[in-house]
Amino acid sequence: MAETAQDKRLDFYEAMQRCALWEMRLLQMVEEGQVSGFYHSGRGQEGVQVGAVLALKPQDYLLYGHRGCGYQITRGVPLDAMFSDFLGHIEGPTRGLGAGTIHIASPELGILGQAGGVGGTYALAVGAALSARQRGTDQVALCMFGEGTANRGTFHEAANAAGVWKLPVVWLCENNGWAISASFRETTAAERIADRAIGYGMPGIVVDGQDPVAVNAAVSEAVERARNGGGPTLIEALTARLRGHYEGDAQRYRAKDEIETLKRERDPIVLLANVLLEEKLATQETLDGIQARVAQEVDAAAKRALQGTKPTRDRIFQYVYAEDHTP
Amino acid sequence: MAETAQDKRLDFYEAMQRCALWEMRLLQMVEEGQVSGFYHSGRGQEGVQVGAVLALKPQDYLLYGHRGCGYQITRGVPLDAMFSDFLGHIEGPTRGLGAGTIHIASPELGILGQAGGVGGTYALAVGAALSARQRGTDQVALCMFGEGTANRGTFHEAANAAGVWKLPVVWLCENNGWAISASFRETTAAERIADRAIGYGMPGIVVDGQDPVAVNAAVSEAVERARNGGGPTLIEALTARLRGHYEGDAQRYRAKDEIETLKRERDPIVLLANVLLEEKLATQETLDGIQARVAQEVDAAAKRALQGTKPTRDRIFQYVYAEDHTP
Amino acid sequence: MSRVIKYNVAIREALAEEMERDSTVFMMGEDIGVMGGVFGMTRGLYDRFGKQRVIDTPISETMIVGAGVGAALTGCRPIVELQYADFVAVAMDEIYNRAAKWRYMHGGRQNVPLTIIAPEGAVGGVGPEHSQCPEALFWSCAGLHVVTPATPADAKGLLKSAIRSNDPVLFLPHKGLAALQGEVPDGEYFVPLGKANTVRKGKHLTIVAWSAMLHKALKAADVLAEKGIEAEVIDPRGIRPFDFDAVVESVSRTGRLVLAHEAPVRGGPGSEVAAVIAERALHYLEAPIMRVGAPDIPVPQSVYLERMVVPRMEEILAAAEKICAELV
Amino acid sequence: MSRVIKYNVAIREALAEEMERDSTVFMMGEDIGVMGGVFGMTRGLYDRFGKQRVIDTPISETMIVGAGVGAALTGCRPIVELQYADFVAVAMDEIYNRAAKWRYMHGGRQNVPLTIIAPEGAVGGVGPEHSQCPEALFWSCAGLHVVTPATPADAKGLLKSAIRSNDPVLFLPHKGLAALQGEVPDGEYFVPLGKANTVRKGKHLTIVAWSAMLHKALKAADVLAEKGIEAEVIDPRGIRPFDFDAVVESVSRTGRLVLAHEAPVRGGPGSEVAAVIAERALHYLEAPIMRVGAPDIPVPQSVYLERMVVPRMEEILAAAEKICAELV
Ligand SMILES: Cc1ncc(C[n+]2csc(CCOP(=O)(O)OP(=O)(O)O)c2C)c(N)n1
Ligand SMILES: Cc1ncc(C[n+]2csc(CCOP(=O)(O)OP(=O)(O)O)c2C)c(N)n1
Ligand SMILES: [Mg+2]
Ligand SMILES: [Mg+2]
């Protein structure tokens, strides 16, 4: 019998902890000046990221968002490699070139990368899905993005193409209500992002992003539909940004108690812990044990990463082209 | 009591004849080599263009499509000026610069112009409507475009902005089923373009584009809603392209009898004539009379235009800037 | 009389003065309202002029610029912001083909008094798509003006000229100069579009330096002076219109030219200037025209590597010394 | 052995050969299917390779190029078409920031074997947004290759190299050359990216001429020859990579340089070349570097006026004669 999302709850819990604890350690590096502050915290969105990424099969493609690193971590990029990248060390996936915000790609894991211009990956997801069809594979492309980014025209062009060609793409919007300082309501005409689905001939689904079980179920269904030739789906996950847009953001644009309320009521890790305890699927000790184990894992990864190496100047000239055509 | 669209049917008939007869004369000029062949015939779409443009008040703005010249003619650009433009004569609105496809603007008539890149005017309509609000006027911007052009990302960005800011814009899609050789169904995921309206928080309406009365009623309602602060509307008018994309288009991509059937069954001028005759609002003589009078008007305009003047070389250096900043 | 204020404050003053004076001036862009812009350039304007005139937009760059064109055609004098200058590529069609060509292609019956603000430059780890200096992409953009202020005084004076201009202007402040202090005249003043500024006189060589590079060029000139080389330093203040006469005149006296900009040398703002000088002033040249700029690569995200890409004062110095070798 | 075929047919042959050979090669673009492209460049390919490999797209240029990048990253070798080269502005972010920078910014773990075809040039009244030659916008585009074939042989050979390249290539055929006949080698062959072609040898002056201007340059060379001036004519075949060595070597012998392109002189492809020569080969120059191109204005829609904008053979001739005055 197939494992259902219900049975995976402890795994989800651990995966979310891994995202959060990794980030906590990273923020310490930011504070200590080892890493630049252009990091967009993912705190509060672990439910979406873990639930979604775990719905993929190994052969699938992932185009992730810029909010935190839950995507890459959950997909399996080693924690030390993640730190190395931010530290600008050659052991990181970008071999020292990236650092700060994220351009982590991992062809082996199907992680295609991220664009600096938000909304730059929609069309790439179409291309990856089209490529799967051309090559006759059953791969699916999962493309994740914020609700603010949903207002870029590139979404329209990509979603329409995916819809009309019935491509295996899953569009997953992380709606955290804010795009830097711009609120969802003041910048978006749709009642719900998912309302746009009908305009692209695909199902539109709204899901509680703070519940990884629900996200996982919705994304899994969409992934399977896509894999079986049923075409794309647009999923809107309602989630919460618990920190500033980037580190150091004073957030004057946000009501003082909004974040406090969200932290109290909408932290996906706390929410899942409560359920696990209530339904007696875990004791507090089990949960503490998971957290301690992951914290150790993170610490060890950070230590290894900190011992890494900065690149030499020649690195800046590498990787511009695959082939040298200097005449 | 306000005049209703019903009472205007004879005016609509005359206006449609003016578009069609003007074009017929233009095509003669194309054939005679006086005008380039990059003309996109509007034959078959007079119902939409006449019905829509006549729904505007004098103060309103018009951003027109590239299909024929029904928009500008109906809005009141003199017929001889229209010919002059195509002939590349200085008496035309572009003073000799334009010719071929259309960049006719008339600030007095609120005609803002057209972009060579289709879908380039959506955002301009948002800007014109925003400008009306800034200046405290009650102007409305009507933006017309083909269904193929509805797949440009610029539509998404503009429609969302118009929706969220509740701007006085009317989006009017002329869905003739073809974008050059690309059929609506094979390139557009939406069942109807109007289905996209909900994603931008506005009403979406489908109307028979071959019936200027229906178009006029729908556009009038949308214009009044926009004028009264009710925000934008997306209207999809179902219409028919009776000729090639441009002159000389062999249309191999189109089934042989499609055009014949459309000509027989969906010519908006024939359809309205039949109604007028059936409902005894006009006799055949009246209709013939109108046609003859308009034909004469067109002929006289063509004669005047043909006597116009080609610009001299200095024209190419004019109008690049409003002000000279050569240091 | 003058005051010393920051570059960013100078920009805010220009915006506020023009909005105060002319009710058809309004702004729109991402996060420019309550937040005051991600670089603080519009801080305070939202409180002062309200939501209707300082408009936060969706993340929709083609709409931002295109709506600017539409508003400019219909009686307003809009100022629109692209959050990072790199995003000119996102709205390239709207800038290059819409804003710049609309007037011409419609026979000159309309004006496009639009100002596009787009902060440029590398400022420490924001990566290949948030660090570029894209002005050279607009060398061929007839119909557009393009300015790159290097000082608070120019930031204010050029921006006011841009807003008053009846033609579209791309105004590219440098993010790295935001906190730069400088003298600014009291009262209202304008810096004309397309007029170069000879910041330092000299007779041995001409250094034309754009934006942030101006300050490095001036430092290089100090060092050169100690070695007996007197560099003339010119800030061209942008690329369109370009004050070629000023550069030709200077080179006619110095015979030597170094062009310095933060963008890559290859396809950077200097190439067109070098080409014009090689035609108009070849007979004055006593040495090759040198260009100083970034290498022909994207800007890496890592601050550590970014520092190896952004051209430094020492590179200007080296270029100058190379072509002045026989003078010392 | 060789055959004489049309430029357009040469392009079709390249496409067909590569699609035949490699099942991961596929095409997408507007009206390239049943219609065979608005310039007939893909005629017959739809019938031969089917709907799945010759894909008609919606009017969605950012998707077309972006999806090309996505497919290129995932094991395909896509060829995408922008119906007019002017539309590079519509998909500028996808070309300039996505296709070109993806490999670098992700640490070189992926390749982007993408070909973008975009027909350029003025061909009689298609107006300011359907007539441009935009190659110079990509001088600064590290990560991209840009080629401009002038002959049927180059059209085929360069396109095949572009498709086989593991890096993105912007292939810009000239619309006006579609029916041009020319010799094409029999059998499979490739023209390397970034290698200039010295089409005519000469000792008095070097003319570097891009794309359609090559043919006017050759005519000018004929006329010059009658006056005793022997012009060397070089087709650079694009701008990235650029064969600067070939131009420097030629100028080292001739001492005179004319650069000719259809794009405006201001910001056109010639400026970077002039700048490099003014640095690397200044001491060889016996006369100013001349550039021939369109004036600094948009291309008018009227065919009558367009003819006054597109540079003519006579202008190359005049430029050449001006700098060769003392030779005759
Ligand atoms: C094309 C583009 N425009 C603007 C930006 C600047 N920017 C980066 S993140 C961001 C907000 C994105 O909001 P949303 O999509 O809701 O994602 P979130 O940050 O909430 O996760 C903006 C405006 C950008 N990187 N790219
Ligand atoms: C951005 C852009 N892409 C492509 C074109 C080429 N083109 C001109 S008209 C057209 C088809 C437009 O179809 P539709 O919007 O349905 O209007 P119709 O021609 O049917 O009136 C195309 C692809 C263009 N002018 N601009
Ligand atoms: Mg958000
Ligand atoms: Mg159509």
Side-chain angles (χ1 to χ4, degrees):
Chain A
M1 217 185 75
E3 201 185 24
T4 72
Q6 282 297 329
D7 310 323
K8 296 191 205 146
R9 280 185 289 186
L10 269 176
D11 294 349
F12 293 160
Y13 182 77
E14 176 171 331
M16 290 199 294
Q17 281 287 11
R18 188 169 286 107
C19 304
L21 291 170
W22 180 88
E23 176 174 302
M24 196 186 287
R25 186 68 186 81
L26 183 82
L27 293 180
Q28 195 184 320
M29 293 182 185
V30 171
E31 229 160 72
E32 289 165 2
Q34 289 151 318
V35 160
S36 117
F38 289 107
Y39 174 71
H40 310 98
S41 163
R43 207 54 267 291
Q45 303 190 195
E46 297 87 351
V48 196
Q49 298 176 9
V50 162
V53 172
L54 290 179
L56 296 179
K57 291 250 171 74
Q59 70 269 34
D60 294 333
Y61 292 119
L62 174 62
L63 288 144
Y64 54 86
H66 60 274
R67 187 131 307 284
C69 289
Y71 324 91
Q72 303 95 318
I73 290 174
T74 307
R75 186 68 176 163
V77 177
L79 297 186
D80 52 355
M82 293 295 303
F83 282 127
S84 298
D85 205 70
F86 278 80
L87 289 161
H89 289 171
I90 57 173
E91 294 81 7
T94 62
R95 312 198 235 215
L97 282 168
T101 53
I102 5 188
H103 298 302
I104 288 165
S106 167
E108 317 83 58
L109 297 171
I111 302 180
L112 298 181
Q114 163 72 320
V118 297
T121 53
Y122 298 127
L124 271 66
V126 168
L130 191 59
S131 156
R133 176 171 297 171
Q134 297 295 129
R135 290 176 291 108
T137 70
D138 71 345
Q139 295 164 288
V140 173
L142 170 64
C143 183
M144 298 179 69
F145 53 96
E147 87 297 337
T149 304
N151 289 327
R152 283 219 43 213
T154 48
F155 179 70
H156 187 68
E157 300 197 354
N160 179 61
V164 77
W165 293 333
K166 290 232 166 292
L167 291 178
V169 181
V170 178
W171 306 109
L172 176 53
C173 177
E174 299 181 74
N175 188 343
N176 61 11
W178 293 96
I180 309 188
S181 73
S183 80
F184 176 56
R185 284 283 160 247
E186 299 211 13
T187 46
T188 310
E191 194 49 38
R192 294 258 54 96
I193 294 292
D195 288 347
R196 291 181 175 162
I198 187 174
Y200 309 116
M202 61 183 79
I205 285 157
V206 180
V207 69
D208 179 4
Q210 304 316 80
D211 179 359
V213 178
V215 173
N216 189 260
V219 176
S220 295
E221 192 185 320
V223 165
E224 285 325 301
R225 178 166 42 241
R227 204 184 302 290
N228 297 322
T233 304
L234 171 58
I235 302 174
E236 176 178 9
L238 305 180
T239 185
R241 192 185 89 193
L242 299 184
R243 298 179 65 91
H245 173 70
Y246 35 53
E247 293 309 297
D249 177 0
Q251 300 200 70
R252 271 170 304 197
Y253 49 84
R254 230 172 151 182
K256 294 229 180 333
D257 59 348
E258 186 199 321
I259 301 175
E260 292 318 308
T261 312
L262 288 175
K263 279 185 183 163
R264 233 177 14 248
E265 297 173 7
R266 297 280 289 156
D267 185 324
I269 299 181
V270 174
L271 289 173
L272 185 57
N274 290 343
V275 172
L276 290 170
L277 294 172
E278 264 166 42
E279 301 196 7
K280 304 225 187 305
L281 286 160
T283 62
Q284 188 61 50
E285 289 74 56
T286 324
L287 299 186
D288 291 349
I290 292 174
Q291 177 164 354
R293 180 161 46 75
V294 174
Q296 246 181 352
E297 199 188 310
V298 166
D299 251 19
K303 278 212 190 72
R304 280 195 301 280
L306 283 164
Q307 283 157 13
T309 320
K310 286 253 197 305
T312 50
R313 184 175 146 83
D314 55 332
R315 176 59 29 106
I316 63 173
F317 300 105
Q318 295 169 331
Y319 312 130
V320 179
Y321 291 100
E323 292 156 7
D324 191 1
H325 281 277
T326 322
Chain B
M1 220 188 74
E3 200 185 23
T4 71
Q6 282 298 329
D7 309 324
K8 295 190 206 148
R9 281 184 288 188
L10 268 176
D11 294 347
F12 293 160
Y13 182 77
E14 176 170 332
M16 290 198 294
Q17 281 287 11
R18 189 169 286 108
C19 303
L21 291 169
W22 180 87
E23 176 174 302
M24 196 185 286
R25 185 67 186 82
L26 183 82
L27 293 181
Q28 195 184 320
M29 293 183 186
V30 171
E31 228 160 73
E32 289 166 3
Q34 289 151 318
V35 160
S36 117
F38 290 106
Y39 174 72
H40 310 97
S41 164
R43 205 59 266 291
Q45 305 191 192
E46 297 87 351
V48 196
Q49 298 177 9
V50 162
V53 171
L54 289 179
L56 296 178
K57 293 249 169 76
Q59 70 269 33
D60 294 334
Y61 293 118
L62 175 62
L63 287 144
Y64 54 85
H66 61 273
R67 184 129 312 282
C69 289
Y71 325 89
Q72 302 95 320
I73 290 173
T74 307
R75 186 68 178 164
V77 178
L79 297 185
D80 51 356
M82 292 295 303
F83 282 127
S84 298
D85 205 70
F86 278 79
L87 289 161
H89 289 170
I90 58 172
E91 294 82 5
T94 61
R95 315 197 230 216
L97 282 168
T101 55
I102 7 193
H103 298 302
I104 288 165
S106 167
E108 318 83 59
L109 297 172
I111 302 180
L112 298 181
Q114 164 70 321
V118 297
T121 54
Y122 297 128
L124 272 64
V126 167
L130 190 58
S131 157
R133 176 172 297 172
Q134 297 294 130
R135 291 177 290 105
T137 70
D138 72 344
Q139 294 163 288
V140 173
L142 171 64
C143 183
M144 297 179 69
F145 54 96
E147 88 296 337
T149 304
N151 289 328
R152 282 219 45 212
T154 49
F155 178 69
H156 186 68
E157 300 198 352
N160 179 61
V164 76
W165 294 332
K166 291 230 163 292
L167 292 177
V169 182
V170 177
W171 306 109
L172 176 53
C173 177
E174 298 181 74
N175 189 342
N176 62 11
W178 292 98
I180 310 188
S181 73
S183 81
F184 176 56
R185 285 282 162 248
E186 298 211 13
T187 47
T188 310
E191 194 48 39
R192 293 258 55 95
I193 295 292
D195 288 347
R196 291 182 174 162
I198 187 175
Y200 310 116
M202 61 182 80
I205 285 154
V206 180
V207 69
D208 179 3
Q210 305 315 81
D211 178 359
V213 178
V215 172
N216 189 260
V219 176
S220 296
E221 193 186 318
V223 165
E224 285 325 301
R225 178 165 46 240
R227 204 184 302 290
N228 297 321
T233 306
L234 171 57
I235 302 173
E236 176 177 9
L238 305 179
T239 184
R241 193 186 88 192
L242 298 183
R243 297 179 66 91
H245 173 70
Y246 36 51
E247 293 309 298
D249 177 0
Q251 300 199 68
R252 271 170 302 195
Y253 49 83
R254 233 172 150 182
K256 294 230 179 334
D257 58 348
E258 186 199 322
I259 302 175
E260 292 318 308
T261 312
L262 287 174
K263 278 186 182 161
R264 231 175 18 246
E265 297 173 8
R266 297 279 289 155
D267 185 325
I269 299 180
V270 174
L271 289 173
L272 185 58
N274 290 345
V275 172
L276 289 170
L277 294 173
E278 265 167 39
E279 301 195 8
K280 304 222 185 309
L281 286 160
T283 61
Q284 188 62 50
E285 290 75 54
T286 324
L287 298 186
D288 291 349
I290 291 173
Q291 177 163 358
R293 178 158 48 73
V294 174
Q296 244 180 357
E297 200 189 310
V298 165
D299 252 18
K303 280 215 187 71
R304 280 195 302 280
L306 284 163
Q307 284 157 15
T309 319
K310 284 254 198 302
T312 49
R313 183 175 147 83
D314 55 334
R315 177 57 30 104
I316 62 173
F317 300 105
Q318 295 168 332
Y319 312 130
V320 179
Y321 291 99
E323 292 156 7
D324 191 1
H325 280 276
T326 322
Chain C
M1 296 295 290
S2 70
R3 299 160 296 137
V4 171
I5 60 174
K6 283 190 186 156
Y7 187 86
N8 248 6
V9 175
I11 289 175
R12 288 205 287 265
E13 282 190 9
L15 295 169
E17 284 178 22
E18 292 304 303
M19 288 183 71
E20 195 65 68
R21 174 183 169 273
D22 180 348
S23 69
T24 70
V25 175
F26 71 94
M27 289 198 70
M28 64 179 155
E30 294 161 19
D31 308 293
I32 66 168
V34 179
M35 194 185 192
V38 293
F39 305 110
M41 263 171 32
T42 55
R43 199 165 293 152
L45 297 180
Y46 179 90
D47 288 339
R48 181 155 165 204
F49 296 101
K51 205 180 152 99
Q52 174 145 354
R53 292 184 68 197
V54 183
I55 306 172
D56 273 332
T57 66
I59 305 176
S60 300
E61 284 80 7
T62 74
M63 183 282 292
I64 293 172
V65 178
V69 175
L73 289 171
T74 53
C76 284
R77 209 168 265 288
I79 304 164
V80 302
E81 182 178 286
L82 296 170
Q83 201 160 59
Y84 290 81
D86 311 64
F87 304 158
V88 296
V90 177
M92 191 68 179
D93 196 39
E94 284 65 32
I95 303 172
Y96 197 87
N97 290 324
R98 221 78 342 99
K101 297 187 173 69
W102 198 268
R103 178 172 211 279
Y104 185 82
M105 76 188 196
H106 291 89
R109 302 190 171 268
Q110 302 154 299
N111 292 339
V112 185
L114 169 67
T115 302
I116 304 167
I117 302 185
E120 69 171 18
V123 284
V126 284
E129 295 170 79
H130 288 74
S131 303
Q132 297 170 85
C133 292
E135 53 270 11
L137 294 178
F138 300 94
W139 261 123
S140 58
C141 190
L144 187 71
H145 297 314
V146 184
V147 294
T148 54
T151 65
D154 277 4
K156 181 170 177 183
L158 286 171
L159 182 50
K160 282 178 65 91
S161 293
I163 298 169
R164 296 272 181 106
S165 165
N166 284 326
D167 292 303
V169 181
L170 179 60
F171 177 86
L172 299 164
H174 194 290
K175 301 197 283 284
L177 300 178
L180 178 79
Q181 305 264 4
E183 291 216 352
V184 163
D186 282 335
E188 178 155 85
Y189 73 97
F190 296 86
V191 174
L193 305 175
K195 190 96 201 64
N197 184 16
T198 302
V199 184
R200 176 182 179 132
K201 294 294 280 183
K203 62 181 179 204
H204 294 129
L205 111 133
T206 304
I207 305 177
V208 173
W210 281 262
S211 194
M213 292 301 285
L214 173 66
H215 307 287
K216 302 183 192 181
L218 289 170
K219 284 211 190 87
D222 284 342
V223 179
L224 289 166
E226 286 168 24
K227 307 189 181 188
I229 300 170
E230 292 175 33
E232 180 144 312
V233 179
I234 297 180
D235 174 5
R237 288 175 165 147
I239 62 158
R240 282 193 74 102
F242 193 91
D243 199 346
F244 289 110
D245 291 345
V247 180
V248 169
E249 191 281 323
S250 177
V251 170
S252 76
R253 287 183 285 102
T254 64
R256 291 175 172 78
L257 179 60
V258 172
L259 300 158
H261 46 72
E262 186 174 312
V265 168
R266 181 73 70 239
S271 44
E272 181 64 31
V273 180
V276 169
I277 297 303
E279 178 177 348
R280 284 182 54 189
L282 186 83
H283 44 295
Y284 296 126
L285 286 177
E286 285 161 37
I289 301 175
M290 303 297 288
R291 288 183 292 161
V292 174
D296 187 22
I297 57 174
V299 182
Q301 183 101 42
S302 162
V303 193
Y304 179 77
L305 295 177
E306 179 193 295
R307 275 190 220 113
M308 303 180 185
V309 170
V310 176
R312 291 162 307 123
M313 185 278 280
E314 291 73 14
E315 293 164 57
I316 303 178
L317 197 59
E321 286 178 340
K322 187 168 170 192
I323 56 173
C324 292
E326 74 263 33
L327 293 179
V328 282
Chain D
M1 293 297 289
S2 69
R3 302 158 295 138
V4 171
I5 61 174
K6 282 190 186 157
Y7 187 86
N8 248 6
V9 175
I11 289 175
R12 288 205 287 265
E13 283 190 6
L15 294 170
E17 286 177 19
E18 292 304 303
M19 288 183 70
E20 195 66 68
R21 175 186 169 271
D22 179 350
S23 68
T24 72
V25 176
F26 72 93
M27 289 199 69
M28 62 179 157
E30 293 161 19
D31 307 292
I32 66 166
V34 179
M35 195 185 194
V38 292
F39 306 108
M41 264 171 29
T42 55
R43 200 166 293 153
L45 297 180
Y46 179 91
D47 287 341
R48 180 153 166 207
F49 297 100
K51 204 181 156 100
Q52 174 146 351
R53 291 184 69 197
V54 184
I55 305 172
D56 273 333
T57 67
I59 306 176
S60 301
E61 284 81 6
T62 73
M63 184 280 294
I64 293 171
V65 178
V69 175
L73 289 172
T74 53
C76 284
R77 210 168 263 289
I79 304 164
V80 302
E81 182 178 284
L82 295 170
Q83 201 160 60
Y84 290 80
D86 311 65
F87 304 159
V88 296
V90 177
M92 191 68 178
D93 195 39
E94 283 67 31
I95 303 172
Y96 197 86
N97 291 323
R98 220 81 340 100
K101 297 186 174 69
W102 198 268
R103 177 172 213 280
Y104 185 81
M105 77 189 195
H106 291 87
R109 303 189 169 271
Q110 302 153 298
N111 292 340
V112 185
L114 169 68
T115 301
I116 304 167
I117 302 185
E120 69 171 19
V123 283
V126 284
E129 296 168 78
H130 289 73
S131 302
Q132 298 171 82
C133 292
E135 51 271 11
L137 294 177
F138 300 94
W139 261 123
S140 58
C141 191
L144 187 73
H145 296 315
V146 183
V147 294
T148 55
T151 65
D154 277 3
K156 181 170 178 185
L158 286 171
L159 182 50
K160 282 178 63 92
S161 294
I163 298 169
R164 298 270 182 108
S165 164
N166 284 324
D167 293 302
V169 180
L170 179 60
F171 178 85
L172 299 164
H174 194 290
K175 303 196 283 281
L177 300 179
L180 179 79
Q181 306 262 6
E183 292 216 352
V184 162
D186 282 336
E188 178 154 86
Y189 73 97
F190 297 86
V191 174
L193 305 175
K195 191 97 203 68
N197 184 15
T198 302
V199 183
R200 177 181 177 130
K201 294 294 278 179
K203 62 181 179 202
H204 293 128
L205 111 133
T206 305
I207 305 178
V208 173
W210 281 262
S211 194
M213 293 300 286
L214 173 67
H215 308 285
K216 303 184 192 179
L218 290 170
K219 286 212 188 87
D222 284 342
V223 180
L224 288 166
E226 287 168 24
K227 307 190 181 188
I229 301 171
E230 292 174 35
E232 180 143 312
V233 180
I234 298 180
D235 175 4
R237 288 176 166 147
I239 61 158
R240 283 192 74 102
F242 193 90
D243 198 345
F244 289 110
D245 292 344
V247 180
V248 169
E249 191 281 323
S250 177
V251 170
S252 76
R253 287 183 283 101
T254 64
R256 291 177 171 77
L257 178 61
V258 172
L259 300 158
H261 45 73
E262 185 174 312
V265 168
R266 181 72 71 240
S271 43
E272 181 64 32
V273 180
V276 169
I277 298 303
E279 180 178 346
R280 284 183 52 189
L282 185 84
H283 45 295
Y284 297 126
L285 286 177
E286 283 162 39
I289 301 174
M290 303 295 289
R291 288 183 291 160
V292 174
D296 187 22
I297 58 174
V299 182
Q301 184 100 41
S302 162
V303 193
Y304 180 75
L305 296 178
E306 179 191 296
R307 275 189 219 114
M308 304 181 185
V309 170
V310 177
R312 291 162 305 123
M313 187 278 282
E314 290 74 13
E315 293 164 58
I316 302 176
L317 198 58
E321 286 178 340
K322 188 166 169 194
I323 54 172
C324 293
E326 75 264 33
L327 293 180
V328 284

